[in-house]
Amino acid sequence: MGGYFKIIPSPVGELRLVASERGLAAILWHKERTGRYHLPLPLTEDHNNPILVETERQLSEYFAGTRRQFALQLNVSGTEFQKKVWAALLTIPFGETRSYSQIAHQIGNPAAVRAVGAANGRNPLSIITPCHRVIGAGGQLTGFAGGLGVKQHLLQFENQQLMVLAG
């Protein structure tokens, strides 16, 4: 069946948006290896795909500071456990963080902290499903497909946006 992709610029580097016929399947970082995710292959470049155009629009709004939550049709592949973790990530409010332990408790499996970390690391929809908002128990930044510098940038950006609103 295959899928579609579009490469867009962003303040955190080039992003490769990937969609299937049913929704957004992945957002890949520049130079990221695609083997970490199940993608709708083969991929065809399509700058006019409506799912990709809408994703680009909403990401532009996010980076402009006018969007706090995404409203996109998602179509990700993963295990039931991964999907449960990714659904929990979607509940983390803009500008807030959660620990891996908090996510494990939220999904009803407090002993699964490491499994939550592994599922978080295989999240195919960075930024949209905000895995950058998950931090270590001591508040430290931990692994991120886009790099720790990008994770820090996204967290600082969201905190600045909240300060602007409060200001």
Side-chain angles (χ1 to χ4, degrees):
M1 183 151 131
Y4 310 94
F5 78 93
K6 177 179 186 176
I7 298 173
I8 64 167
S10 84
V12 292
E14 280 187 348
L15 300 172
R16 180 184 295 209
L17 311 179
V18 179
S20 70
E21 292 291 338
R22 298 191 324 227
L24 186 65
I27 296 177
L28 306 176
W29 300 96
H30 181 65
K31 297 183 182 177
E32 182 177 6
R33 55 187 172 80
T34 59
R36 292 185 333 119
Y37 316 110
H38 175 74
L39 298 175
L41 299 174
L43 295 176
T44 304
E45 191 165 12
D46 185 350
H47 294 272
N48 299 312
N49 177 282
I51 295 166
L52 301 178
V53 168
E54 180 60 16
T55 302
E56 180 179 19
R57 184 184 72 78
Q58 290 190 30
L59 283 168
S60 293
E61 291 172 352
Y62 168 83
F63 286 117
T66 60
R67 177 173 289 276
R68 307 274 182 271
Q69 192 170 3
F70 295 93
L72 296 163
Q73 179 64 39
L74 307 180
N75 183 36
V76 294
S77 293
T79 67
E80 288 307 311
F81 181 83
Q82 288 171 331
K83 289 178 181 181
K84 191 182 281 191
V85 170
W86 300 336
L89 299 180
L90 290 169
T91 70
I92 304 172
F94 182 92
E96 294 185 22
T97 59
R98 298 290 184 272
S99 70
Y100 296 101
S101 178
Q102 288 173 308
I103 298 296
H105 278 84
Q106 181 178 342
I107 66 170
N109 198 342
V113 175
R114 289 190 179 181
V116 165
N120 197 59
R122 295 186 66 88
N123 169 28
L125 291 173
S126 291
I127 304 171
I128 304 293
T129 303
C131 54
H132 63 278
R133 296 180 189 155
V134 182
I135 58 174
Q140 74 275 20
L141 297 185
T142 56
F144 185 64
L148 290 182
V150 171
K151 183 172 188 164
Q152 183 173 12
H153 174 85
L154 291 170
L155 291 173
Q156 288 175 339
F157 167 74
E158 290 183 5
N159 284 326
Q160 289 170 347
Q161 293 304 309
L162 290 177
M163 290 189 325
V164 167
L165 286 176

